[in-house]
Amino acid sequence: MPSASPKKSKKSSKSAAPAAAAFRSQALAEALEHQDMAAVALALRNGNTVVPLLKPGPRDNPLDGGEVWTYRSPETGEVALLLFSDAANKPANLPPAVGLQSPVWLRAFLGANAELITTVFFDIAGPHPMQATPAEILRVLDVEA
């Protein structure tokens, strides 16, 4: 029986790795590393983005992505959308749940909330943070590739 435990733990660590890898955008991570806005634009148009969730959607409804968490400054009242290239880059003090959202979702979310959201932060706690306005993000999402 003792040999069953190591196999089981090996198996569970292998199955955890693909799940963690699913909440990552390699293209966005590389674009942020190089601080290349053109590459960030390309990554946003063609890949998914990790967003913190206040409340995840139900598992049996893939169309419900959950309730996105945004940051409201207590001093100014301004609202920021935080996006991440990797779930591992999300600070621990944010809600624990994350979602992986498509370019179509990002376009719709920013379009619906453009007057409320004043800034968009990418990997705010590092390793390579960037910032843009919602108008800039909408503009790059609307460019035909």
Side-chain angles (χ1 to χ4, degrees):
M1 290 252 173
S3 63
S5 293
K7 284 182 184 175
K8 190 174 186 180
S9 64
K10 263 188 182 177
K11 209 178 211 182
S12 63
S13 67
K14 278 186 178 180
S15 64
F23 285 96
R24 174 171 174 74
S25 168
Q26 184 64 32
L28 183 56
E30 289 174 8
L32 292 172
E33 180 180 359
H34 294 99
Q35 297 291 290
D36 182 344
M37 194 55 191
V40 169
L42 190 62
L44 292 176
R45 281 196 305 269
N46 296 301
N48 294 325
T49 308
V50 178
V51 297
L53 298 176
L54 187 59
K55 178 181 152 192
R59 289 181 183 251
D60 60 345
N61 183 0
L63 299 178
D64 184 350
E67 186 179 339
V68 175
W69 181 87
T70 55
Y71 173 78
R72 180 179 301 273
S73 170
E75 294 84 26
T76 65
E78 292 182 343
V79 175
L81 174 63
L82 279 57
L83 302 176
F84 299 93
S85 62
D86 191 319
N89 295 341
K90 182 186 70 61
N93 62 338
L94 298 185
V98 295
L100 195 62
Q101 300 294 353
S102 72
V104 171
W105 175 90
L106 182 58
R107 172 68 183 91
F109 186 82
L110 284 176
N113 296 290
E115 291 183 19
L116 175 68
I117 296 171
T118 57
T119 192
V120 178
F121 286 105
F122 297 94
D123 288 352
I124 192 166
H128 307 286
M130 278 186 86
Q131 180 179 352
T133 66
E136 289 172 311
I137 302 302
L138 288 169
R139 188 172 53 252
V140 301
L141 289 171
D142 288 341
V143 171
E144 292 296 321

